[in-house]
Amino acid sequence: MASGFLVIRGLSPLGVHFQHVCRNVLLTQTREKKRWMKSYMLLMERKKKLEGPPPPKPRSHQPNWDYHAEVQAFGCRLHETFSLDLLKTAFVNPCYIQSEEVNRRELGVDREAVALNLKDNQKLSEQGAEFSQSYLADCCRGAYPNLPPEGVNAIVQYLAGTEIVCHVAKNLAVEDLTLSAEFPVPNKVLQKTFFAVVGALLESSEPQKAGLFIRDFLMTQLIGKDLFELWDVINPMGLLVEELTKRNLSPPEPRITRQAGVSTVLPLHFVGLYSDKKLMAEGPGETILAAEEEAARVALRRIYGYTENRRPWDYIRPREDTAAAQAISSN
C-alpha cells in the first residue's frame, strides 16, 4: 500500500503539468481558401469577359529581360557564328526607327538628339532573301531534275512565303528579338527580319553555313507535302500531254478500270491512263472526269520523281553540292 501511494504521488505532478500544457494549446482548422476568394474570383472572371483578354505584351516589357544577352544567346542556341553587330542590325526594322523618332519629337527632344544612331536591316533583308530563293531553287533542281521551272518556282514561293517563314521565325524566337513599331509583329516585318538574319549569317560566316541554315529550317517544311498542294495545276491532262510529247511518247488514253456504286449517291470510278498500251497511272474519283484528272496527277508525280514513296531527303550527312556557291554566283 505504501509503495502504491508513493507511485501515485510521483505521477500526480506529471498529470497536473500535462493538463496545464493542454489548456494553453489551441487547435484550429483551416480550409486553405479564404471565404472571400470565391466571390473575388467570380468578379475577376466576369470582368475578364466584359473587358476581354489583356493586350499582348512584348517580352522586352516583362521582367528578367536582357536584350544584349538574348542576342548573344540566339547564335549559341542555333549553333551558328554571328557577328554581334550584324545580328543586332538584322533585328532593327525601319518602322521601329521611324516610330522612335516620332515619339522623341512628341516628347520635345532637340532635333539633333531625335535621330537614332541605328542602321536598319533593309540591305541585309534583301541580300538574305535573294540568297534564300536562289539556294532553294538550286536544291529543288538538284533533288528533282525533271521538275519544270514552273514547279520549281511554286515550291520556292511556298517555302519563302510569309506563312512558312513566319512559322519558322516564331519557333526560333525571332519575334521576341525583333524591334518593330507594332506588337504582335506583322507577318511582313517578321518575314523581312528572318531574311535579314540569313543575310547576317551570310556575311558573318561562309555561304555553306547559310545554305545549311536554310536547308535545316526551310527545306524541312516540305515533309509530308504533296506536289500539287504547292503547285496549282489547272489542266493536269494538258500538262501530261506536253510532258509525253517532249519524251516522244504517245498521248495518254483514259480507260475505266474499276467502278463501284455507280447508281448510288456516292459513286467511285477508277480511271487508268495508257500510253503505248502500257498502264502509266491510275486514279480514283467521284466522277469520271475527276478520276481522269487524278490519274493525270499521279502520272505527273511519277514523271517528276515527286511520288509519295520517294527517297527522303538526307538531312544528316552533308552533301558535297555547290548549291550555296551557285546561289552566291547568281546573286
Side-chain angles (χ1 to χ4, degrees):
M1 291 294 294
S3 61
F5 179 74
L6 292 174
V7 172
I8 292 174
R9 287 194 63 180
L11 294 176
S12 59
L14 295 175
V16 173
H17 179 70
F18 180 75
Q19 292 178 0
H20 179 70
V21 172
C22 291
R23 288 175 184 174
N24 295 334
V25 176
L26 298 178
L27 299 177
T28 58
Q29 294 182 356
T30 58
R31 297 183 302 169
E32 300 296 336
K33 290 185 179 179
K34 305 300 180 181
R35 293 183 177 180
W36 53 266
M37 182 65 71
K38 180 179 179 181
S39 59
Y40 174 76
M41 296 302 295
L42 291 176
L43 180 62
M44 290 292 102
E45 288 294 332
R46 193 179 300 114
K47 181 180 179 182
K48 185 177 179 180
K49 290 181 180 179
L50 292 175
E51 298 180 356
K57 295 175 60 178
R59 184 62 183 86
S60 58
H61 293 178
Q62 301 177 17
N64 299 326
W65 175 258
D66 187 350
Y67 185 78
H68 181 76
E70 293 292 337
V71 172
Q72 281 187 328
F74 180 80
C76 298
R77 187 170 62 249
L78 299 179
H79 300 282
E80 299 291 349
T81 304
F82 287 95
S83 173
L84 190 59
D85 295 335
L86 288 175
L87 187 58
K88 286 185 176 181
T89 303
F91 291 122
V92 179
N93 289 278
C95 60
Y96 172 78
I97 298 178
Q98 295 174 3
S99 65
E100 288 296 322
E101 291 179 352
V102 170
N103 293 336
R104 290 190 176 192
R105 292 194 192 98
E106 293 177 354
L107 293 175
V109 182
D110 297 337
R111 293 183 177 179
E112 297 179 356
V114 165
L116 293 176
N117 190 16
L118 291 176
K119 186 179 180 181
D120 58 29
N121 59 1
Q122 184 68 31
K123 183 179 178 181
L124 290 176
S125 178
E126 294 176 356
Q127 185 178 0
E130 292 178 2
F131 177 81
S132 300
Q133 293 179 0
S134 301
Y135 184 85
L136 291 173
D138 293 336
C139 286
C140 290
R141 295 190 194 99
Y144 311 107
N146 296 327
L147 198 62
E150 294 81 5
V152 173
N153 293 333
I155 294 177
V156 171
Q157 293 299 323
Y158 171 77
L159 293 177
T162 305
E163 182 180 358
I164 296 300
V165 172
C166 291
H167 171 72
V168 174
K170 290 178 181 179
N171 283 275
L172 294 180
V174 175
E175 184 180 17
D176 295 334
L177 298 174
T178 301
L179 298 179
S180 174
E182 302 177 12
F183 188 85
V185 181
N187 290 336
K188 289 293 184 181
V189 177
L190 189 59
Q191 180 187 19
K192 182 179 178 181
T193 306
F194 178 82
F195 286 133
V197 172
V198 176
L201 180 60
L202 184 62
E203 291 191 3
S204 302
S205 57
E206 301 177 355
Q208 287 76 11
K209 289 286 186 179
L212 292 178
F213 182 85
I214 297 171
R215 186 203 67 178
D216 293 342
F217 293 111
L218 290 184
M219 287 296 295
T220 51
Q221 304 303 316
L222 288 178
I223 297 176
K225 294 295 182 180
D226 182 67
L227 175 61
F228 296 105
E229 292 180 8
L230 316 177
W231 182 20
D232 187 14
V233 178
I234 300 176
N235 185 13
M237 184 59 72
L239 182 59
L240 178 60
V241 171
E242 293 179 3
E243 293 293 337
L244 294 179
T245 304
K246 293 178 182 177
R247 291 164 174 77
N248 297 324
L249 297 175
S250 61
E253 299 179 4
R255 295 289 184 270
I256 298 177
T257 57
R258 289 174 289 172
Q259 286 181 327
V262 179
S263 60
T264 62
V265 182
L266 298 175
L268 181 61
H269 306 273
F270 281 86
V271 173
L273 297 180
Y274 291 84
S275 178
D276 295 332
K277 298 181 180 181
K278 295 181 180 180
L279 180 64
M280 295 179 54
E282 187 180 22
E286 294 184 356
T287 62
I288 297 178
L289 181 60
E292 184 178 338
E293 290 182 354
E294 183 61 28
R297 292 190 180 93
V298 173
L300 289 173
R301 292 190 192 98
R302 292 180 178 177
I303 292 175
Y304 298 148
Y306 204 98
T307 57
E308 295 180 355
N309 59 346
R310 66 185 182 275
R311 184 178 180 180
W313 191 285
D314 190 2
Y315 294 97
I316 299 176
R317 184 180 61 185
R319 305 194 319 178
E320 297 294 336
D321 54 4
T322 58
Q326 292 176 1
I328 287 292
S329 61
S330 62
N331 291 334

